[in-house]
Amino acid sequence: MSKSLQAIRGMNDILPEQTPLWRHFEGTVARLLDNYSYKQIRMPIVEFTELFKRSIGEVTDIVEKEMYTFDDRNGDSLTLRPEGTAACVRAVLEHGITGGGQVQKLWYIGPMFRHERPQKGRYRQFHQIGLEVFNLDGPDIDAELIVLTWRLWGELGIRDAVKLELNSLGTSESRGRYREALVAFLSTHLDKLDEDSQRRLKTNPLRVLDTKNADTQAILADAPKMADYLDDESRLHFEGLKARLDAVGIPYVINPKLVRGLDYYSKTVFEWVTDKLGAQGTVCAGGRYDGLVEQMGGKPTPGVGFAMGIERLVLMLETLEQIPEEISRQVDVYLCAFGEAAELAGLALAERVRDQLPNLRLQVNAGAGSFKSQFKKADKSGALYALILGDDEMAQQVVGFKPLRGQGEQQSIAWDALAAHLATCIVQG
Ligand code: HAM
């Protein structure tokens, strides 16, 4: 197939055999967020380029080299959203729903776009579920965000495989003082820094802290520590968060070098990481951004949130084999009808059963086929039972009820009794 007729590198189709696990994941998150009373918001996937430049920061990898930016037919510069926070802040401001200190606990789901080098767990179109909370400034809400992800990992069966890393970046004032100290220290080692760090030193010095270069990391061992520059307010906030995590029993490690790749953070930052996915091990990340709303033209409004990468979490479920039995089986019952009259009766019967058992996954064979080929299809569907409607069954107004997974002999069930019979069988598994 010619290249222009293939999917774009790093942008994936999610195939029918993959979607059940995606839906399991998305459904589990949505239910949990309902329970914690978060409300869903849906933003467009395209925004003015300026929005992302202003919020994420001009001197970040995302804005400098990863955005899908284009001029539309009006000549406006637009960008496919690389993340959700900027658009969510834009939306709440535009609709005034955080005005007057109104608390908003929001979540969103959808595709994000970054022109990164594709590899396992890193794509150019990927999907996030994100949460953003406005107008709550205490550590209790930071803790709630972490506690609910901890519960999610438990429900998904991956809790033992993820680790929480925490840091506090302080207020912008304390971060400014730390930045000065760091620049002064690194300037005395300028000739030993790698090229990228030399550049970052001038543009975004805190990002030097998360360099992958081992020599630069060795130099950083003696660098001033961010924790020593924290103002009292940030220190108390961080202590408050840790106390709450301790109270719930959530383990964490303090990573003083955790700075995050987006510029809008202040105070708390955190990442959930795993060693099960290779190089792309961050499955969920976020933090507090108390200055962002104001920076975007709103009134001072505290904010905090995070986003998780759906591809990475689905990969984890596969790697750890945490795939519930009911999603590997898509069909409960498969109805095989032989002959035109049986097909019509089968259709009507199937609809009657669906009226009574709305959660039953009932597949009706489409089109004709020999007895043998229909059974093959029934078996391949993964169904627990086949229903058979042939001439004999039609004459007696019954269906043949055939267990497909070694659960006993075939029996005849009257049409009127079918739904009740299925209800007991399926519940009993
Ligand atoms: P982020 O760290 O850039 O933060 O992305 C959050 C998560 O999205 C990552 O931890 C990862 O799981 C996933 N992710 C990021 N890039 C890719 C990629 N190229 N391929 C696959 N998955 C990826 C944010 O986006 C912030 N908006 C999070 C936030 C919300 N902070 C506060 N509120």
Side-chain angles (χ1 to χ4, degrees), residues 62 82-86 108 114 116 121-128 130-132 260-262 264-265 271-272 282-289 304-312:
I62 295 180
E83 59 107 53
T85 311
Y108 49 83
R114 296 183 194 174
E116 295 190 82
R122 187 167 68 195
Y123 311 103
R124 290 182 172 169
Q125 174 174 330
F126 59 97
H127 298 78
Q128 285 184 344
L131 274 69
E132 313 292 352
R260 309 270 303 125
L262 306 99
Y264 46 63
Y265 293 110
E271 292 191 349
W272 287 98
T282 308
V283 292
C284 172
R288 186 161 273 287
Y289 46 85
V304 59
F306 69 77
M308 48 192 147
I310 304 185
E311 280 81 357
R312 292 186 190 176

Side-chain angles (χ1 to χ4, degrees), residues 104 152 346:
Q104 293 289 350
L152 177 65

Side-chain angles (χ1 to χ4, degrees), residues 33-74:
L33 293 178
D34 283 346
N35 294 350
Y36 278 84
S37 66
Y38 284 71
K39 298 206 178 78
Q40 193 182 14
I41 181 166
R42 302 184 185 201
M43 297 87 66
I45 59 168
V46 190
E47 300 272 355
F48 288 117
T49 305
E50 194 55 28
L51 175 76
F52 300 115
K53 285 191 178 168
R54 289 254 305 261
S55 54
I56 298 170
E58 298 263 4
V59 195
T60 54
D61 285 352
I62 295 180
V63 171
E64 278 184 340
K65 45 189 188 203
E66 294 172 359
M67 296 206 300
Y68 282 89
T69 297
F70 58 94
D71 286 347
D72 78 354
R73 286 170 194 276
N74 301 331

Side-chain angles (χ1 to χ4, degrees), residues 284-303:
C284 172
R288 186 161 273 287
Y289 46 85
D290 289 341
L292 182 59
V293 175
E294 198 179 357
Q295 190 187 317
M296 309 247 300
K299 296 234 161 57
T301 304

